[in-house]
Amino acid sequence: MTGRTPWPLILPAALGMAFLLLPLAGLLIRAPWPTLAQRLAEPQVLEALRLSLVTATIATSVCLLLGVPLAWLLARVTFPGRRAVRALITVPLVLPPVVGGVALLLVLGRRGLVGQWLEATFGVTLPFTTAGVVIAEAFVAMPFLVISVEGALRAADLRLEEAAATLGASRWTIFRRVTLPLVAPGVVAGTVLCWARALGEFGATITFAGNFPGRTQTMPLAVYLALETEPEAAIVLSLLLLAVSVVILASLRDKWVSSP
């Protein structure tokens, strides 16, 4: 059965492939190749790229700091309501990003549940700042890391950790010398996906942090703005994001594809 060609599926499969690839082909065809290098060197493009790389990297670091312990808790500790907690953590995966931005405003805005306390106590205002961009990106990207690391922890062989414990290793030593090496591929994959999601975030960012050049205007926001005034600049920025996406998919190929 595996050697036969399922001819009735060829046409819809070809249509599906065309549906997904033609828009990307259109982007490549319409790209201003002769002036591409010049446009990439424009100050607004470089500034949007710099801000995107910096905020995505910081957001990913925050996700690693908080997400790995959270994944370990979900994978290794049994507590009441664990399934509900896991479901709530994955909500940002399906939640419209704009709704996530509104939720962040209601909590961390100047009149938010926590935001008004931060401003009154520490004089800290998060919305419409670079820190707000990092928070918005981390909010939408962390579930990718948590799911990946939790899956790796569940798949890890507990007998190796038990053997280390019988040899007198402390919990911290077991975690650092046994657990982390076992789940390293999952952590790496989750980190890359998290960074990519943060880099491409749009809805929550523009809602919670705004679209201010040099301060909160990341590459996706710059694409949106340029599309209304300078379409060729929007194409150049889109090509940059497309190139990043291709590199990420190539780096994760061994994890997702088991056969050539």
Side-chain angles (χ1 to χ4, degrees), residues 22-37:
L22 281 178
L24 302 180
L27 187 65
L28 295 173
I29 293 171
R30 295 294 299 274
W33 296 108
T35 61
L36 183 63

Side-chain angles (χ1 to χ4, degrees), residues 11 230 238:
L11 179 59
E230 195 176 358
S238 299

Side-chain angles (χ1 to χ4, degrees), residues 27-28 33 36 39-41 44-46 48-50 53 195 199 219 223 233-247:
L27 187 65
L28 295 173
W33 296 108
L36 183 63
R39 290 186 174 276
L40 286 174
Q44 61 270 26
V45 174
L46 294 177
L49 176 61
R50 182 199 65 81
L53 295 177
W195 186 83
L199 186 70
M219 288 176 63
V223 171
I235 294 174
V236 170
L237 288 168
S238 299
L239 284 175
L240 280 176
L241 290 173
L242 176 61
V244 171
S245 301
V246 171
V247 170

Side-chain angles (χ1 to χ4, degrees), residues 138-200:
F139 176 76
V140 299
M142 190 182 296
F144 289 89
L145 177 69
V146 173
I147 290 175
S148 180
V149 176
E150 183 188 359
L153 283 167
R154 289 182 177 275
D157 192 349
L158 292 177
R159 292 175 298 180
L160 297 176
E161 298 180 12
E162 294 171 354
T166 59
L167 293 175
S170 65
R171 289 187 177 182
W172 170 244
T173 301
I174 294 173
F175 180 77
R176 182 170 54 90
R177 302 291 297 273
V178 180
T179 306
L180 278 182
L182 286 175
V183 302
V187 173
V188 172
T191 301
V192 173
L193 287 173
C194 180
W195 186 83
R197 181 65 185 88
L199 186 70

Side-chain angles (χ1 to χ4, degrees), residues 1-23:
M1 293 297 292
T2 56
R4 294 184 179 181
T5 302
W7 294 107
L9 301 180
I10 296 299
L11 179 59
L15 290 175
M17 183 169 61
F19 176 74
L20 294 174
L21 296 182
L22 281 178

Side-chain angles (χ1 to χ4, degrees), residues 42 52 73 96 99 137 144 172 189-190 197 213 242 254-255:
E42 292 179 356
S52 293
L73 186 69
V99 178
E137 291 177 347
F144 289 89
W172 170 244
R197 181 65 185 88
L242 176 61
D254 291 338
K255 181 174 179 62

Side-chain angles (χ1 to χ4, degrees), residues 61-194:
S61 300
V62 173
C63 292
L64 279 169
L65 181 64
L66 304 178
V68 172
L70 179 57
W72 184 87
L73 186 69
L74 292 173
R76 297 295 176 83
V77 179
T78 301
F79 57 90
R82 183 172 63 170
R83 291 185 178 181
V85 171
R86 182 183 293 112
L88 291 173
I89 289 171
T90 57
V91 164
L93 290 175
V94 296
L95 189 70
V98 174
V99 178
V102 172
L104 289 173
L105 278 175
L106 294 177
V107 174
L108 298 175
R110 298 183 65 180
R111 297 184 179 180
L113 299 176
V114 178
Q116 60 181 348
W117 174 78
L118 288 175
E119 185 175 13
T121 307
F122 303 103
V124 174
T125 303
L126 295 175
F128 310 109
T129 64
T130 304
V133 176
V134 173
I135 291 173
E137 291 177 347
F139 176 76
V140 299
M142 190 182 296
F144 289 89
L145 177 69
V146 173
I147 290 175
S148 180
V149 176
E150 183 188 359
L153 283 167
R154 289 182 177 275
D157 192 349
L158 292 177
R159 292 175 298 180
L160 297 176
E161 298 180 12
E162 294 171 354
T166 59
L167 293 175
S170 65
R171 289 187 177 182
W172 170 244
T173 301
I174 294 173
F175 180 77
R176 182 170 54 90
R177 302 291 297 273
V178 180
T179 306
L180 278 182
L182 286 175
V183 302
V187 173
V188 172
T191 301
V192 173
L193 287 173
C194 180

